[in-house]
Amino acid sequence: MTSTSDGRTARGERTRRAVIDAHIALIEAGELKPTGAQIAEQAGISLRALWANFNDLETLFGTTGAELLSRQDTMFVPVSPDLDLPERVDKFCAQRGKLLEFIAPYARAAGLREPFSRELRTNRMRHIARVTDEIEVLFARELAPLPASRRTQTIQALGIASTWASWSVLRDEYGLDVDGATAVMRQTVAALLAAAVHASLG
């Protein structure tokens, strides 16, 4: 019984992995709203097997979102808070540009369904929270002396400058390449932190 149960569990895990990989592959290929049938075909399974392992699209969105966060984690290299401010800004923005390019296809796809999907909105907030946490640690020296309200506003402004909403405008609306978009982010982040330092001294 145990062997049979273990085999069934392993097959289920392989099926779920195939579905997640298929979902991601379709989005990377430009299919921003893949259907269950398309995902099942890409994964090499039946549509029935797909829905036997995922209750609905919301469950699939949540699981795919967790996988993407995990993949981002493997790419993330913490920037030392002990570096001088210009070097911290430069390294932070360079890495943000790299990570934002990685999530670009999925962010574009999610944008089409976010108004109707709690899981996709939750995924987006997880990404924003991670960047906010990084900002608070990396720029703690500049943020700590600020009054609470100014500190919150500065963190929020830095978050806006370094997350998908701004990046998509720079890349898709302004038509900047990655280096150009990163340069604009760097200028914005540096200016916000310079203003924070000036406020703390004045």
Side-chain angles (χ1 to χ4, degrees), residues 72 75-81 83-101 127-140 142-143 154-164 166-167 178 181-193:
Q72 270 195 296
M75 301 169 62
F76 178 75
V77 180
V79 178
S80 172
L83 296 173
D84 291 340
L85 179 58
E87 192 170 0
R88 276 180 284 147
V89 170
D90 187 66
K91 288 181 178 296
F92 170 75
C93 292
Q95 179 156 244
R96 288 303 305 151
K98 178 182 177 181
L99 293 176
L100 286 164
E101 279 299 292
H127 283 276
I128 292 171
R130 286 191 172 202
V131 178
T132 300
D133 290 344
E134 183 184 4
I135 287 167
E136 292 193 74
V137 172
L138 186 57
F139 302 115
E142 291 72 31
L143 295 168
T154 303
I155 292 169
Q156 290 171 339
L158 290 166
I160 290 169
S162 56
T163 47
W164 173 250
S166 291
W167 189 257
V178 173
T182 303
V184 172
M185 185 199 301
R186 187 182 299 112
Q187 181 176 346
T188 306
V189 169
L192 288 166
L193 289 166

Side-chain angles (χ1 to χ4, degrees), residues 62-78:
T63 308
T64 301
E67 171 63 18
L68 292 172
L69 281 172
S70 177
R71 293 186 186 188
Q72 270 195 296
D73 285 344
T74 67
M75 301 169 62
F76 178 75
V77 180

Side-chain angles (χ1 to χ4, degrees), residues 21-53:
D21 289 344
H23 189 201
I24 290 172
L26 284 167
I27 292 171
E28 287 177 342
E31 184 60 64
L32 299 186
K33 292 182 72 175
T35 65
Q38 288 173 312
I39 295 168
E41 181 180 4
Q42 177 76 17
I45 63 171
S46 68
L47 188 58
R48 180 178 179 180
L50 169 63
W51 298 129
N53 285 274

Side-chain angles (χ1 to χ4, degrees), residues 171-184:
R171 295 284 279 124
D172 299 334
E173 307 305 327
Y174 287 162
L176 299 179
D177 61 16
V178 173
D179 288 343
T182 303
V184 172

Side-chain angles (χ1 to χ4, degrees), residues 118-135:
R118 182 177 62 184
E119 283 294 339
L120 290 176
R121 292 194 298 273
T122 298
N123 289 342
R124 176 164 55 89
M125 292 309 299
R126 287 193 183 110
H127 283 276
I128 292 171
R130 286 191 172 202
V131 178
T132 300
D133 290 344
E134 183 184 4
I135 287 167

Side-chain angles (χ1 to χ4, degrees), residues 48-64:
R48 180 178 179 180
L50 169 63
W51 298 129
N53 285 274
F54 295 90
N55 294 332
D56 49 30
L57 278 175
E58 283 290 276
T59 306
L60 179 56
F61 292 158
T63 308
T64 301

Side-chain angles (χ1 to χ4, degrees), residues 141-147 150 154 192-202:
R141 277 184 277 164
E142 291 72 31
L143 295 168
L146 298 175
R150 179 65 183 268
T154 303
L192 288 166
L193 289 166
V197 171
H198 180 75
S200 68
L201 295 175

